[in-house]
């Protein structure tokens, strides 16, 4: 049996004209030889399999071509040295000794040192003098794949030629030439797939070609290449994008599961999807179609799918999978990470289709059943039953309810009931709306129709009262024939949450007293007096973006806003001290300590909310402000206070002090 010769050796170029994809190198070398302007030290650097050693051998033959020597005689003047195994100082010294002798035949002795970056530091230093001033009959051609590992003193003594990666089109043309010489029928898509797998190295492409011929024989197809070389087929990317555009996320997840079942890594799928979105963007413009390095049939599919996709969707998909590429290696759940990226594509298409739908009533405005696949059941969209009307409370005729004073004007001139006219609307009991959330810590009997914006007047002396319960002022007794008006207990809808509350002897909240005193003295500006927990009426932009944002993105946006110069110091301290909580993608919750902070924050919302809506790309963002009452712990300064506190924890300290009769100092 005749010995098989691999294609990389069998079809190695023997002339500069046959070198593939390196015309900028070969043309320069040919003109240098013709003009007798060739340096004696050359450095060929570039990726693997691009023709560095081949060009060095061709050049060695070309410069001795004038001597009319045979191949055997030319071989006597060409010396190849592998620096990976001859990297010591002694090897370089033997080389320097050989350089001194002139060639027996021919004009030049050519020394080709491959993988020169493997030489040791001492070997490089020993080679410097000879490389800088070689004999007239000697020429050195150094080849390396890692130029950065060569010391600068060597680089400065050589003429450097940078070899580039061979393009897919050049590799395909060379493979087609080899297939024609070997009488092999190969599909263009199969050759393109081999060229892409080679990653710019012609030697690797020829090795893969030999491997495929050993499997398929004289016929080479695209399906065989995908199967044998373990390549993820283009069909998965095209089908995945079609499922995302049809909002069929169940089949999309099953498609990704099929990719994993075939043994492919999830990261390969992520990289492939990112490249697929890039190729679709390239295919949208006639000027950039030539950047597609695929076969003719695959190119037609790219042109068709790119025309059916919007630019916004392609950019969104490219952004999603580019982020997944960086997050995949650090993720503890890579499969869920990729599935989440696929669902983001579906969610984007769903939102785009939802914006294109005509306006519907509020009962079905949030329904997404129209975008679900036919295989999934639809929700029951029957109209909900109207809530039963709440019967108004019957008037109480037994005794009039005590009315607490609301302001100074009320204390000076109490309301006088009229026998024939009903009570004022502000004094009537109004039933709470069913949609109004009542805090369990403070359940009001009823809520007024109009928000109460005026702060209650609090007597500062009441802060030192032992009995915290206020005594209501008696209201005038109406005549027997008149129905008394029911005055509800004043409630502003404030949600009060006590954290780490401690039992106190007086039962008095110091923070509430201070807040009420500040209101009475006018410490809060008029423009910041709003209802507790009320949110400024900031209109929502109809049809605006409603993207989902992460906690990290929110913190970044809040931090950037707080650093602006026009933000007040109080608001900046509040925003830097605590971050809003994300209740849902449209609602943020902000906690404040008192009415002053609430007033400043509600005023700042006029600028903060539009900024966040633009920054986070969600036009429905709003704030819910919640007042949190925190019990302040008194600090111990005097020795007597510290001793009393310690004695409460350990009563034996009192006995110890009496025994040793010591002072607290």
């Amino acid at each position: 049996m005749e010995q098989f010769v691999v294609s990389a050796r069998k079809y190695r170029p023997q002339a500069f004209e046959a070198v593939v994809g390196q015309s900028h190198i070969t043309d320069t070398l040919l003109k240098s030889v013709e003009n007798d302007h060739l340096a004696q030290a050359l450095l060929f650097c570039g990726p693997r399999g691009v023709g560095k050693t081949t060009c060095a051998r061709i050049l060695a033959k070309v410069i001795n071509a004038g001597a009319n020597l045979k191949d055997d005689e030319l071989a006597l003047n060409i010396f190849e040295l592998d620096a990976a195994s001859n990297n010591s100082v002694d090897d370089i010294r033997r080389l320097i000794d050989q350089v001194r002798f002139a060639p027996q035949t021919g004009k030049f002795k050519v020394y080709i040192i491959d993988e020169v970056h493997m030489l040791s530091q001492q070997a490089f230093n020993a080679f410097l003098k000879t490389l800088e001033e070689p004999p007239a009959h000697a020429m050195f051609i150094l080849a390396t794949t890692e130029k950065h590992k060569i010391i600068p003193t060597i680089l400065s003594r050589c003429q450097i030629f940078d070899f580039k990666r061979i393009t897919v089109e050049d590799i395909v043309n060379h493979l087609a030439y080899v297939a024609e010489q070997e009488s092999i029928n190969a599909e263009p898509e199969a050759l393109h797939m081999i060229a892409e797998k080679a990653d710019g190295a012609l030697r690797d492409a020829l090795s893969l070609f030999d491997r495929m011929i050993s499997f398929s024989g004289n016929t080479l197809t695209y399906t065989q290449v995908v199967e044998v070389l373990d390549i993820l087929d283009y069909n998965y990317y095209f089908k995945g994008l079609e499922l995302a555009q049809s909002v069929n996320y169940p089949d999309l997840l099953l498609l990704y599961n099929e990719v994993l079942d075939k043994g492919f890594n999830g990261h390969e799928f992520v990289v492939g999807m990112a490249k697929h979105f890039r190729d679709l963007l390239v295919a949208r413009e006639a000027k950039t179609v030539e950047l597609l390095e695929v076969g003719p049939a695959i190119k037609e599919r790219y042109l068709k799918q790119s025309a059916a996709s919007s630019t916004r969707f392609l950019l969104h998909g490219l952004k999603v999978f580019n982020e997944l590429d960086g997050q995949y290696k650090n993720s503890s759940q890579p499969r869920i990470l990729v599935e989440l990226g696929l669902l983001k594509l579906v969610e984007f298409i769903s939102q785009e289709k939802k914006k294109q739908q005509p306006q519907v009533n509020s009962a079905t405005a949030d329904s997404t059943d129209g975008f679900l696949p036919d295989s999934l059941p639809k929700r029951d969209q029957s109209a909900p039953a109207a809530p039963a009307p709440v019967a108004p409370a019957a008037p109480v005729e037994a005794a009039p309810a005590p009315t607490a004073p609301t302001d100074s004007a009320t204390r000076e001139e109490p309301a006088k009931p009229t026998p024939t006219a009903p009570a004022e609307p502000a004094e009537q009991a109004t039933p709470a709306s069913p949609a109004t959330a009542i805090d369990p810590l403070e359940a009001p009997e009823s809520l007024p129709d109009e928000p109460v914006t005026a702060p209650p007047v609090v007597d500062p002396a009441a802060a030192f009262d032992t009995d915290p319960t206020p005594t209501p002022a008696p209201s005038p007794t109406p005549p027997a024939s008149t129905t008394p008006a029911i005055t509800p207990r004043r409630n502003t809808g404030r949600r009060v949450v006590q954290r780490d509350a401690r039992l106190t002897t007086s039962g008095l909240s110091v923070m509430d007293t201070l807040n009420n005193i500040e209101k009475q003295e006018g410490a809060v500006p008029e423009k910041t007096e709003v209802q507790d927990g009320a949110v400024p009426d900031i209109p929502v932009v109809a049809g605006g973006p409603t993207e989902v944002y992460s906690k990290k993105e929110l913190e970044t946006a809040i931090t950037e806003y707080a650093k602006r110069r026009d933000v007040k110091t109080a608001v900046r301290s509040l925003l830097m001290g605590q971050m809003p909580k994300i209740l849902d993608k449209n609602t943020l919750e902000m906690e404040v300590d008192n009415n002053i902070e609430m007033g400043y924050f509600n005023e700042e919302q006029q600028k903060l909310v539009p900024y966040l809506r633009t920054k986070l790309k969600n036009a429905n963002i709003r704030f819910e402000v919640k007042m949190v009452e925190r019990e302040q712990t008194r600090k111990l300064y005097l020795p007597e206070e510290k001793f009393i506190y310690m004695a409460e924890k350990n009563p034996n300290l009192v006995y110890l002090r009496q025994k040793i009769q010591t002072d607290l100092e």
Side-chain angles (χ1 to χ4, degrees), residues 326-534:
Q327 300 171 0
Y328 189 88
K329 294 182 180 180
N330 299 328
S331 175
S332 59
Q333 296 288 341
R335 174 166 184 164
I336 298 178
L337 185 68
V338 178
E339 291 176 344
L340 180 61
L342 296 174
L343 293 178
K344 285 182 180 179
L345 299 181
V346 176
E347 195 268 344
F348 182 87
I349 294 295
S350 177
Q351 293 294 333
E352 290 294 319
K353 290 185 177 180
K354 192 174 181 181
K355 293 177 183 178
Q356 298 174 3
Q357 293 293 327
Q359 296 294 333
V360 295
N361 55 34
S362 59
T364 60
D366 297 332
S367 175
T368 58
D369 287 342
F371 311 117
L372 295 177
D374 298 334
S375 59
L376 295 181
K378 305 295 191 258
R379 301 184 182 90
D380 185 11
Q381 297 183 355
S382 58
V390 180
V396 180
E397 300 184 1
T403 304
T406 58
D407 52 16
S408 59
T410 306
R411 289 200 305 271
E412 294 176 1
E413 295 181 3
K416 297 180 181 181
T418 305
T420 59
E424 293 295 329
E427 301 294 332
Q428 293 180 357
T430 304
S433 174
T436 305
I438 307 299
D439 198 299
L441 299 179
E442 186 178 352
E445 298 174 358
S446 60
L447 298 176
D449 290 336
E450 300 295 334
V452 181
T453 59
V457 179
V458 180
D459 188 4
F464 306 97
D465 230 348
T466 56
D467 187 6
T469 305
T471 303
S475 60
T477 304
S481 61
T482 304
T483 302
I486 300 176
T487 304
R489 179 170 61 88
R490 180 181 182 276
N491 187 284
T492 61
R494 176 190 302 175
R495 298 179 59 191
V496 181
V497 181
Q498 295 186 358
R499 295 185 176 178
D500 302 333
R502 300 183 180 179
L503 297 177
T504 59
T505 56
S506 62
L508 178 64
S509 176
V510 179
M511 291 304 299
D512 280 350
T513 304
L514 293 177
N515 291 336
N516 292 332
I517 292 175
E518 291 172 350
K519 289 181 180 180
Q520 181 182 9
E521 295 178 354
V524 182
E526 181 66 25
K527 61 181 179 180
T528 61
E529 286 189 353
V530 295
Q531 182 182 357
D532 298 346

Side-chain angles (χ1 to χ4, degrees), residues 555-606:
E555 292 178 355
T556 303
I558 291 292
T559 303
E560 292 179 357
Y561 180 83
K563 293 180 180 180
R564 293 170 51 173
R565 294 184 177 180
D566 58 339
V567 178
K568 297 182 179 179
T569 304
V571 178
R572 181 181 294 108
S573 301
L574 178 62
L575 295 177
M576 297 300 290
Q578 61 173 337
M579 286 292 167
K581 297 180 181 178
I582 302 177
L583 301 182
D584 53 54
K585 71 173 184 178
N586 297 332
T587 308
L588 304 176
E589 183 183 73
M590 191 66 181
E591 296 180 354
V592 297
D593 293 337
N594 48 56
N595 288 336
I596 298 178
E597 288 187 353
M598 179 178 289
Y600 280 120
F601 184 75
N602 286 341
E603 181 183 4
E604 191 68 26
Q605 283 194 57
Q606 301 294 336

Side-chain angles (χ1 to χ4, degrees), residues 3 31 51 66 71 100 152 209 259 365 384 433 542 548 596 600 605 641:
Q3 185 179 3
K31 292 181 180 180
D71 292 342
R100 298 174 183 175
F209 181 80
V259 172
S433 174
V548 180
I596 298 178
Y600 280 120
Q605 283 194 57
E641 295 176 346

Side-chain angles (χ1 to χ4, degrees), residues 344 347 351 545-550 553 585 616-618:
K344 285 182 180 179
E347 195 268 344
Q351 293 294 333
T546 57
E547 294 189 6
V548 180
Y549 49 88
S550 63
E553 294 175 343
K585 71 173 184 178
L616 302 179
K617 300 179 181 179
N618 190 327

